């Protein structure tokens, strides 16, 4: 089982590295083919020079660029972490309630879907008006992004258990909670982690939207600052930072998924046998 998990982790990391290289090549190729304005566009090497090279303007250096972006990054990660954690916990709790008490799903799911179809850009100002500017609003904007995909996929995972598996547990006197713990939960893990990988960049996007609309801090607000100073290198660097954070978060979620599924997933026994 350990060998299987390590092999999956190695494949995941190698895939991410290859994807980054291909992305940079496509980025460079797109700028060339589209004849992008060099005043506005930046190549991968241009962004690298902005952050690590000898790039210098009359007021800033590459070291200052890095320090500023890293400071903004920690603020965005703080906002994103709250939205991510609240969204994951809330979706897990409600999905369990849907499974154990089906009438709850019948009552709540239409409301959840109705809220989901409202664009986040339209919902964020409403959240801001109700809760004001602060961590609560930042958390709720991120929660909206994370909550619904996880809720739907977790509920689908819990419902994917076959009737035969459920009947076996009930024949031996198992309760609905036992069915959930022994069968539904392991079957829902692949659905959970599939959504979790998407939720990581989603939480970052929600945090940046909050910062872009309502604050003067974080990577989202940094885009407004860079734009107002015609610092196009800074805008491209922020895009690279956000992409890198999303890739790292996605990779960490994939590694955790590999370890957890190898131990507790529905195919854990077969993985160990291999």
């Amino acid at each position: 089982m350990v060998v299987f998990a390590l092999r999956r982790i190695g494949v995941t990391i190698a895939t991410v590295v290859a994807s980054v290289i291909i992305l940079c090549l496509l980025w460079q190729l797109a700028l060339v083919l589209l004849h992008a304005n060099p005043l506005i566009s930046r190549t991968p090497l241009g962004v690298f020079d902005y952050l690590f090279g000898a790039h210098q303007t009359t007021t800033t250096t590459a070291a200052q660029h890095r320090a500023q972006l890293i400071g903004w990054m920690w603020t965005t990660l703080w906002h994103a972490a709250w939205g991510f954690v609240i969204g994951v916990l809330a979706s897990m709790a409600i999905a369990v309630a849907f499974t154990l008490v089906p009438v709850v799903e019948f009552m709540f799911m239409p409301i959840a879907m109705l809220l989901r179809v409202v664009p986040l850009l339209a919902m964020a100002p409403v959240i801001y008006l109700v809760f004001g500017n602060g961590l609560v609003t930042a958390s709720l904007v991120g929660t909206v992004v994370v909550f619904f995909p996880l809720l739907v996929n977790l509920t689908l995972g819990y419902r994917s258990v076959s009737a035969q598996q459920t009947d076996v547990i009930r024949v031996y006197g198992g309760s609905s909670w036992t069915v959930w713990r022994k069968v539904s939960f392991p079957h829902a893990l692949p659905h959970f982690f599939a959504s979790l990988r998407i939720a990581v960049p989603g939480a970052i996007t929600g945090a940046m939207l909050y910062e872009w609309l309502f604050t003067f801090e974080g990577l989202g607000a940094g885009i407004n600052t860079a734009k107002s100073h015609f610092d196009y290198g800074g805008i491209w660097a922020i895009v690279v930072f956000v992409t890198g954070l999303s890739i790292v978060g996605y990779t960490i979620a994939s590694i955790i998924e590999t370890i957890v599924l190898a131990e507790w997933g529905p195919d854990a026994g077969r993985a160990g046998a291999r």
Side-chain angles (χ1 to χ4, degrees):
M1 185 179 298
V2 174
V3 175
F4 173 77
L6 291 175
R7 184 167 65 246
R8 287 287 303 275
I9 291 172
V11 171
T12 299
I13 294 175
T15 302
V16 169
V17 172
S19 299
V20 170
I21 295 174
I22 294 172
L23 180 62
C24 289
L25 293 175
L26 292 175
W27 173 5
Q28 179 72 44
L29 181 63
L31 294 180
V32 173
L33 294 179
L34 296 174
H35 303 287
N37 187 343
L39 177 65
I40 298 175
S41 62
R42 294 293 184 274
T43 64
L45 289 178
V47 173
F48 182 85
D49 183 62
Y50 181 88
L51 294 173
F52 301 102
H55 176 95
Q56 184 173 355
T57 66
T58 55
T59 58
T60 58
T61 65
Q64 290 173 320
H65 297 157
R66 292 197 305 273
Q68 186 177 54
L69 286 173
I70 291 172
W72 286 340
M73 178 192 71
W74 289 120
T75 301
T76 298
L77 286 178
W78 175 248
H79 293 154
W82 277 97
F84 179 81
V85 171
I86 294 174
V88 170
L89 294 179
S91 62
M92 291 176 65
I94 294 176
V96 171
F98 283 179
T99 305
L100 298 179
V101 187
V103 69
V104 175
E105 180 180 2
F106 177 78
M107 296 170 56
F108 183 79
M109 185 62 82
I111 300 175
M113 291 298 100
L114 179 63
L115 293 175
R116 184 68 183 95
V117 300
V118 178
L120 184 61
L121 192 60
M123 189 180 298
V126 176
I127 298 174
Y128 175 82
L129 289 174
V130 174
F131 296 98
N133 195 4
L135 187 58
V136 174
T137 299
S139 303
L140 290 177
V141 172
T143 297
V144 170
V145 181
V146 173
F147 175 77
F148 293 101
L150 270 168
L151 175 63
V152 172
N153 280 298
L154 271 174
T155 304
L156 177 63
Y158 292 146
R159 300 287 188 224
S160 66
V161 179
S162 67
Q164 291 84 354
Q165 293 172 307
T166 302
D167 291 341
V168 168
I169 294 179
R170 293 198 180 280
V171 164
Y172 286 95
S175 62
S176 297
W177 171 251
T178 306
V179 172
W180 179 88
R181 184 166 50 89
K182 294 291 187 180
V183 180
S184 299
F185 178 72
H187 275 76
L189 283 176
H191 296 78
F192 171 74
F193 281 108
S195 301
L196 198 67
R197 294 197 303 268
I198 301 172
V200 171
I204 295 174
T205 300
M208 288 188 63
L209 177 63
Y210 160 76
E211 294 161 356
W212 180 64
L213 289 174
F214 308 122
T215 73
F216 299 97
E217 58 184 8
L219 292 172
I223 294 177
N224 287 330
T225 301
K227 183 176 66 175
S228 64
H229 291 86
F230 300 99
D231 183 10
Y232 297 111
I235 295 176
W236 283 84
I238 290 173
V239 172
V240 170
F241 250 66
V242 173
T243 304
L245 288 175
S246 299
I247 290 174
V248 169
Y250 185 95
T251 304
I252 293 174
S254 298
I255 292 173
I256 295 174
E257 174 186 13
T258 299
I259 296 172
V260 172
L261 292 184
E263 184 68 28
W264 294 292
D267 298 326
R270 279 180 279 177
R274 285 182 285 184

